[in-house]
Amino acid sequence: MAILAVGAIAEIYAKADKLDPHYLEEYTKLEDDFKRLPSGGLSDDLAHCFEVFVDDFIGAAIPRTKEDLTHLSRALLHAIHDIFPASPDDPENDPESLKKLKKREGAWAVRKDILGWELQGRNKTVQLDEGKYDKLMTLTKEALRSKSGMPFNQYEKMLGKMRHASWGVPGSNGLFTPFNRVLAQKPKTVWFRQTSALTIALRDWRSIFKEALKTPTHVRQLFRGEPNIAGIVDASGEGVGGVIFGLTDDVVPSVFRFEWPEEVRRQLQTEANPDGTITNSDLEMAGLVFLWLMIEHVAPELRHKHIVLLSDNSPSVAWIDRMASKRSLPAGELLRILARRLCATKACPITPLHIPGRHNRISDIPSRSFGYKPEWHFVDDNKFLTFFNSQFPLPDQQLWQMCQPSTKISSRICHSLLTPGSGTQDWRKLPELATNIGGTGSSSHGLWNWILTSTQELSPTISEFGHSPSLEQPSDKDFMGT
C-alpha cells in the first residue's frame, strides 16, 4: 500500500504553486526534448498523470515549458522519498535507483520505453517493444505446433504475457473467452487442437498482433470518450432491429430489422425447448453485432470514433463491457467478430449502456415487426418504413433511412450463433453490408435529446458517458514521459 501512496502524494505536490528543488532532478533533464522546451512560468492547466506499477514510478505530461516538467519531477521525487527515505550513507542504494537515473531512464523524453511499450509522444502512439513482440510470437507459435500439449502452469504464464500485450492493441482483448474457459477448467495439459475454439482464438490473436506491428496504436483507440455515434438495438425470438443516429457526427438516421431464420428459432432456449443451444442473451449479443455492422454501413469512416451501443439486455451489455463471456460459446464467437472489426476500423473501445426495456420501444418495433403484434407486422419493408416514420417523426421534417442487412452478413452472424468456435469466417474484410431502402435521408447530428424524449427515458446525458483522460485529448503539444 505504501508504494501506491506515492502517486497520490505526487498529485498533491503537483497542485502546489512551488516546490523545493530535489537533488536528483537534474537526471530528469538530460534529453534534448527537455532542453528544446522554452523557459517560462508554470502552466495553470498542465495535463499530466502519475502511475505506479510494481516498483516503477511513471510520469507523463503535455508540457509547455521547462518549468512544467521540473515541477512534476520535483513532485514525484519528493513523494518517493517521503515514503521511502533516502540513505545519505549509501547514495548508490537510493530508493529512486541512481543506477537507472544515470542510464537516463528517468529523463523526460518524447519517445519513451515504458514497461515493454514504446510511447511516441509526438504522434501520440504506443507500440509493443519489438523484442517482446518477437518472444511472444515465438511462444505462441510453439504452443500451436506442440504435439505434446502445454503444461497448465506454462499456459498461465503465456496468457499473462498475452494480456499485458493486449493492453495496447485494440480488439485483441475480445478474443480471450476460450482462454478463460480453459483457465477455469485447470487441466494438467492444455491442447491446441487444429479446429478448437482455443486454437482459432490464438491464431486470431497472432494475426491482430502482426497487423499491430505494422501500425502503432493511437492513444484515442485505447479509451472510451464522448460518443460520436449512437445505436439502440433489441432482439426477440422473432428477429432483431435497431436505430442509428449521430451525436457529434453527421449521420443519416437509420433503422434496420432482420427476421431470424427457422434454424435459429429452433435452437432458442425456452420452457418448451430447454435443450436449445441459443439463449435470449445470445440473440441480444447477435443484435449488438448487427448494430455495429450497420453503423459501419451508415458511417464507413470510424477511425478514432467513439461509439455507444444501447441495449435492454444486461448480460450482453456486460459482455461487451468486459469483451469476454464466461459461459456462453455463441457470445464468445460474437465478441470475436467485434474484436476483428474494432481492429479493422481502428475505432475506439465500444461504450455499451443499458436502457430499460420499457423505454426501448424505438427498437422493439423493428425487432418485433414480424408478427408479434398485428399493428407492427409488416412484410413489405417500404410499408414498415412508412409506419416507423409515423411513430418516430424526426425533427425538421427529416425521414428515417432503412438499412436491410445483406444476405451474406446475416448468414455469417447466424452461422456464428449456430456453430460457435468453428472459426471458418474471416471478419477482416466484409462483403456488402446492407442495402438502403426509402432513399437517402439527410445527415444530421445532436439527436440524443430527441431520442430521450421519444423514448421517455431518463438516461445519462452525454457528459456522463465518461471521457478519455486529458492526455488523450487532441493537442498540438508533444506528449512526454519519464
Side-chain angles (χ1 to χ4, degrees):
M1 293 298 294
I3 201 166
L4 296 177
V6 170
I9 294 172
E11 285 292 353
I12 293 172
Y13 285 160
K15 294 176 182 177
D17 294 330
K18 187 177 180 180
L19 293 171
D20 292 334
H22 191 283
Y23 68 92
L24 292 177
E25 68 181 60
E26 293 306 314
Y27 288 104
T28 69
K29 306 176 182 180
L30 299 176
E31 297 289 353
D32 290 340
D33 295 326
F34 177 91
K35 297 173 183 177
R36 280 193 287 265
L37 284 171
S39 297
L42 182 64
S43 300
D44 293 330
D45 56 346
L46 175 57
H48 73 280
C49 69
F50 297 115
E51 296 290 342
V52 180
F53 183 82
V54 189
D55 60 350
D56 288 311
F57 304 99
I58 304 162
I62 303 178
R64 293 185 178 87
T65 64
K66 290 184 175 74
E67 284 69 24
D68 285 343
L69 295 184
T70 299
H71 184 77
L72 294 178
S73 296
R74 292 173 180 176
L76 186 55
L77 292 169
H78 281 305
I80 294 171
H81 275 165
D82 281 357
I83 301 298
F84 305 103
S87 174
D89 300 328
D90 190 9
E92 290 297 327
N93 199 28
D94 193 287
E96 295 180 10
S97 184
L98 194 58
K99 182 179 179 181
K100 289 185 177 181
L101 289 174
K102 289 179 177 179
K103 291 181 179 179
R104 301 192 175 199
E105 291 186 24
W108 290 101
V110 171
R111 181 202 169 280
K112 198 75 182 176
D113 292 320
I114 299 177
L115 302 177
W117 291 93
E118 179 188 296
L119 279 70
Q120 282 284 359
R122 187 154 290 124
N123 301 325
K124 298 180 178 60
T125 60
V126 298
Q127 190 171 39
L128 190 66
D129 173 79
E130 193 167 345
K132 288 187 178 291
Y133 167 87
D134 290 338
K135 289 179 181 178
L136 199 48
M137 283 291 135
T138 299
L139 180 61
T140 52
K141 185 177 181 180
E142 289 174 351
L144 289 171
R145 290 187 172 184
S146 175
K147 295 182 179 180
S148 57
M150 174 179 279
F152 183 70
N153 64 333
Q154 292 184 21
Y155 171 81
E156 285 185 299
K157 292 178 182 177
M158 181 184 77
L159 190 56
K161 293 177 180 179
M162 290 171 61
R163 288 191 190 282
H164 172 73
S166 293
W167 168 82
V169 181
S172 59
N173 62 333
L175 301 172
F176 282 102
T177 294
F179 295 98
N180 295 340
R181 293 175 66 85
V182 173
L183 205 60
Q185 295 164 1
K186 297 183 179 180
K188 289 184 178 180
T189 305
V190 179
W191 299 91
F192 291 87
R193 305 191 188 281
Q194 187 68 21
T195 58
S196 71
L198 185 65
T199 298
I200 293 164
L202 185 54
R203 286 175 177 162
D204 274 347
W205 189 90
R206 285 170 52 82
S207 173
I208 284 179
F209 267 76
K210 287 178 182 178
E211 295 171 21
L213 191 65
K214 300 175 186 176
T215 308
T217 300
H218 196 283
V219 294
R220 286 197 184 95
Q221 294 174 250
L222 302 178
F223 302 104
R224 292 169 177 166
E226 182 176 335
N228 306 113
I229 301 169
I232 308 176
V233 72
D234 178 69
S236 67
E238 291 184 35
V240 59
V243 295
I244 300 157
F245 51 95
L247 296 175
T248 63
D249 284 19
D250 280 338
V251 172
V252 177
S254 303
V255 57
F256 75 92
R257 65 174 188 153
F258 172 73
E259 184 177 13
W260 298 122
E262 183 59 32
E263 55 267 32
V264 171
R265 297 188 192 197
R266 281 199 303 267
Q267 292 301 326
L268 181 61
Q269 279 184 18
T270 62
E271 289 185 6
N273 184 31
D275 296 326
T277 59
I278 300 172
T279 67
N280 180 67
S281 293
D282 293 333
L283 288 184
E284 297 276 10
M285 184 66 218
L288 285 161
V289 173
F290 264 112
L291 179 60
W292 176 268
L293 293 172
M294 292 304 98
I295 288 175
E296 284 198 43
H297 171 70
V298 173
E301 182 49 66
L302 296 181
R303 181 183 177 87
H304 300 171
K305 297 295 183 181
H306 294 286
I307 313 297
V308 59
L309 306 183
L310 295 98
S311 167
D312 60 13
N313 180 260
S314 297
S316 59
V317 168
W319 288 335
I320 291 186
D321 188 44
R322 299 192 306 265
M323 285 302 283
S325 164
K326 289 183 179 179
R327 298 181 182 87
S328 172
L329 288 175
E333 180 67 18
L334 294 162
L335 287 168
R336 170 181 171 259
I337 297 171
L338 288 179
R340 296 309 311 236
R341 296 313 305 157
L342 279 171
C343 180
T345 59
K346 300 190 183 304
C348 304
I350 299 170
T351 299
L353 286 179
H354 181 265
I355 180 173
R358 65 185 182 278
H359 296 304
N360 199 15
R361 185 168 170 266
I362 197 167
S363 60
D364 272 349
I365 289 179
S367 74
R368 301 169 192 267
S369 59
F370 305 101
Y372 174 72
K373 284 184 178 181
E375 62 268 32
W376 292 0
H377 186 197
F378 293 92
V379 175
D380 183 81
D381 287 329
N382 285 292
K383 290 182 179 179
F384 166 78
L385 185 58
T386 300
F387 173 76
F388 194 81
N389 272 306
S390 70
Q391 294 296 302
F392 302 99
L394 290 165
D396 302 325
Q397 297 184 332
Q398 296 181 79
L399 293 175
W400 289 94
Q401 166 187 270
M402 184 167 181
C403 304
Q404 182 60 46
S406 69
T407 300
K408 288 184 177 180
I409 282 297
S410 54
S411 296
R412 281 189 177 197
I413 296 175
C414 291
H415 179 79
S416 297
L417 275 169
L418 293 165
T419 57
S422 61
T424 56
Q425 302 172 96
D426 186 354
W427 287 93
R428 289 172 294 180
K429 294 182 179 180
L430 299 177
E432 181 185 26
L433 291 172
T435 54
N436 297 333
I437 296 174
T440 303
S442 301
S443 295
S444 61
H445 66 274
L447 288 180
W448 181 249
N449 289 332
W450 176 86
I451 291 290
L452 294 184
T453 302
S454 68
T455 60
Q456 299 178 351
E457 167 57 349
L458 300 177
S459 285
T461 62
I462 293 298
S463 63
E464 294 171 314
F465 276 122
H467 295 268
S468 308
S470 59
L471 293 177
E472 185 271 337
Q473 302 302 323
S475 170
D476 58 356
K477 302 294 183 181
D478 289 342
F479 163 82
M480 297 179 72
T482 182

